[in-house]
Each structure stands twice: as structure tokens, then as C-alpha cells.
Amino acid sequence: MKTILITGAAGDIGTHLRRELAGKYALRLSDVRPIKKLAAGETSARADIARLTDALRITKGVDAIVHMGGFSVEGPWNEILRANIIGLYNVFEAARRNGVKRLLFPTSNHATGFYRRDQIIDHRVYPKPDSRYGVSKVFGEQLGSLYADKYGMEVFCIRIGNVNPAPVDKRRLSLWLSPRDLAQLVQIGIEHPDIRFEIVYGVSGNKRSWYDNSNAQRLGYKPQDDSEPYAAEVLGKEKPGADPSSEMYQGGNFVVAEIGGDPSRVTPKLKRKR
Ligand code: 15L
């Protein structure tokens, strides 16, 4: 059985993945926070990936890395820099030094959040990040490209929409990713024999999708879920958006965060869950 390192394992997505991948892999779970209640087949390795020594320790001897760790919304530059630039670099570099070839990087819809909602985009469009967070995700994709081309690493980038048991609002009807579809994409990223550097969209088979996800389909992705059955209920509860720009662009309120404001502040609406 393969041993998979999941960083950021104490977070929401990490928690979904632990449940979905249980029994399929030996899971090494890492986070700066303690991991509560290990299940059978799980071990934990607490680490701060902003320290290269920690990154080297946790990546030793694994077959693949699912790098979920990082700052997950728009935030102050210092935090983005520490977790998503320095921490990410350390994970790639530690993987290279430890001979771990396969790395899955969860990038984000916010790497392309300044595309409009009336546009359908595929994996070949140039990035249009909507935030410092989005820029950090573009950095991660490009670092992956470098490590694939220069060092022969196998890098699978999933531009994740929004992972939740059910879509939570109108925007998320277009970019919802169910936990089981996330797990399917992660398994493709771990198992597909022919990955060099790939970008796919982490979305379910949503009828209202803004993405041409043919690259994921080419690699075998067959989403099981679609947000459409939830649409009537979700739209019935929707309140009108505060800012028309957030309605116009795929990135939603990340697009309008701090416009004309103070970039050192975390916008309250975007505060991440702990
Ligand atoms: C993301 O990239 C964030 O990590 C997540 O918290 C959500 O805000 C999601 O995007 C989204 O766009 O809904």
C-alpha cells in the first residue's frame, strides 16, 4: 500500500480526504495544528512547513504528497508569504531532495478569479488571479512547472472550486466540488501513470460550470456529482450581492476585497475557518 503525506490535514479539505481515502492508502497526516484522533492506517507528523527541516522530515519515505497546507483565503502578505510561498517552496524542495516524485498541489479557482462568469475557461488560459492569495496559487503552479521540467517531478495541480458536502450559494453552484469527486481527482493525481505537469479544475460535473474540464476528463475523471439538484433551494436563499463586480467575476468577493482599501487588513468576510 502506498504511503501518502497529506499536509494541512487538520483543515476542512484534509478532513474530507482522510475519510474518503481511508483504507486505500497509509496516510501520514501533517499540520501545524495537532491532529486529533488518528484512525487506523493514519500516522501524524506535526510540522511547520515554513521551516525546511520540518518539510524534509515529513516528506521522507512517502510515495506521494498531497499538499493541502497553506493559507486558504485572502490575507495579509506576511501570512501568505510564509505559508504559500516559503512553505510551498520548502515542500517542493524537500520532495526533490527526498526523491519523492509525485506531488499534488491544490491550487484554486482564485488563480483565475478575474475571468468573467460569462466566459468558459480551460486549463490553458493564462492566470488572472483575484487576490494575493490567488497570486500565491499561480506561484505554486509555476513552481510545479519548474520542478517538473527541471527535476522530472510529476506535478498534478487541481484548481479547486469549493469543497463542501453541498453547494452553499449561487456562485458555488458553478464551482462546487463534492468530497467524493475531490477524492476521485486526488486518486487520479496519485495513480495516473502518465503525469508530468497537469492542471485540472477541481469541480464536480456541474451543469452551471464556468470550466472546460476536458483535461481532467482526458485523465479519466468522471464526476459523480452535479450541483443542479441543489439549485432551487440555494437560489431561493440567495441575497442580492453587495457589489456588482463580485457578481460579474468568477472569483466573487475575492475580486472586490480591499478595492481602494488597506491591503494589510484581512477582509472580515474572507476570514478563514479554523
Ligand atoms: C478557495 O480557494 C478557498 O480556499 C476556500 O476557502 C473558498 O473561499 C473557495 O476558494 C471559494 O472560492 O469558494
Side-chain angles (χ1 to χ4, degrees):
M1 189 182 267
K2 287 181 179 158
T3 299
I4 307 300
L5 168 66
I6 303 179
T7 66
D12 284 352
I13 298 188
T15 304
H16 286 303
L17 274 182
R18 287 173 67 185
R19 186 190 61 245
E20 298 288 333
L21 300 182
K24 299 185 173 109
Y25 302 107
L27 299 177
R28 184 183 298 173
L29 308 175
S30 179
D31 205 293
V32 271
R33 298 162 278 182
I35 306 278
K36 289 172 210 144
K37 289 193 201 145
L38 291 178
E42 295 181 337
T43 53
S44 87
R46 202 164 168 184
D48 176 0
I49 53 160
R51 289 198 289 256
L52 181 60
T53 45
D54 280 19
L56 283 165
R57 171 171 50 81
I58 60 173
T59 54
K60 218 180 186 78
V62 298
D63 295 291
I65 299 166
V66 183
H67 178 44
M68 293 290 167
F71 200 83
S72 61
V73 291
E74 180 61 321
W77 173 241
N78 279 348
E79 298 213 39
I80 303 267
L81 173 67
R82 183 178 160 78
N84 294 11
I85 306 288
I86 297 171
L88 180 84
Y89 178 81
N90 286 344
V91 170
F92 269 98
E93 184 52 18
R96 182 185 75 80
R97 292 194 203 175
N98 280 328
V100 183
K101 282 194 91 170
R102 186 73 56 118
L103 199 152
L104 280 66
F105 172 56
T107 168
S108 168
N109 71 89
H110 296 289
T112 50
F114 258 115
Y115 280 96
R116 293 164 52 116
R117 295 186 185 187
D118 58 7
Q119 291 174 292
I120 301 288
I121 59 173
D122 72 6
H123 57 290
R124 287 170 295 210
V125 297
Y126 66 89
K128 278 168 87 60
D130 57 23
S131 46
R132 291 181 292 280
Y133 167 70
V135 170
S136 75
K137 292 298 184 181
V138 176
F139 171 80
E141 294 176 2
Q142 295 307 310
L143 194 68
S145 175
L146 173 71
Y147 272 65
D149 287 340
K150 188 159 280 198
Y151 305 119
M153 271 177 65
E154 299 165 347
V155 181
F156 189 71
C157 300
I158 309 173
R159 281 188 185 151
I160 294 189
N162 185 255
V163 180
N164 251 309
V168 292
D169 58 21
K170 181 177 158 210
R171 178 174 162 271
R172 269 59 168 257
L173 290 173
S174 298
L175 45 82
W176 178 52
L177 177 60
S178 69
R180 64 179 174 173
D181 284 341
L182 164 73
Q184 189 191 144
L185 279 172
V186 165
Q187 281 183 263
I188 290 170
I190 294 170
E191 301 294 344
H192 198 289
D194 192 21
I195 302 284
R196 178 78 179 202
F197 174 78
E198 300 293 347
I199 292 179
V200 299
Y201 286 93
V203 290
S204 285
N206 306 319
K207 188 173 159 231
R208 295 169 191 245
S209 179
W210 299 315
Y211 308 105
D212 166 355
N213 212 5
S214 47
N215 200 36
Q217 286 151 14
R218 180 183 67 80
L219 296 164
Y221 180 48
K222 290 189 181 63
Q224 290 180 273
D225 293 302
D226 176 353
S227 61
E228 209 48 29
Y230 300 90
E233 195 189 336
V234 166
L235 293 173
K237 290 187 197 148
E238 188 79 1
K239 298 192 186 84
D243 188 312
S245 300
S246 70
E247 291 289 313
M248 183 184 297
Y249 293 104
Q250 297 181 0
N253 59 2
F254 281 61
V255 161
V256 292
E258 300 163 2
I259 282 186
D262 174 3
S264 66
R265 256 180 339 113
V266 182
T267 309
K269 267 189 209 153
L270 301 181
K271 255 183 191 158
R272 69 177 172 171
K273 284 190 252 163
R274 271 275 175 195

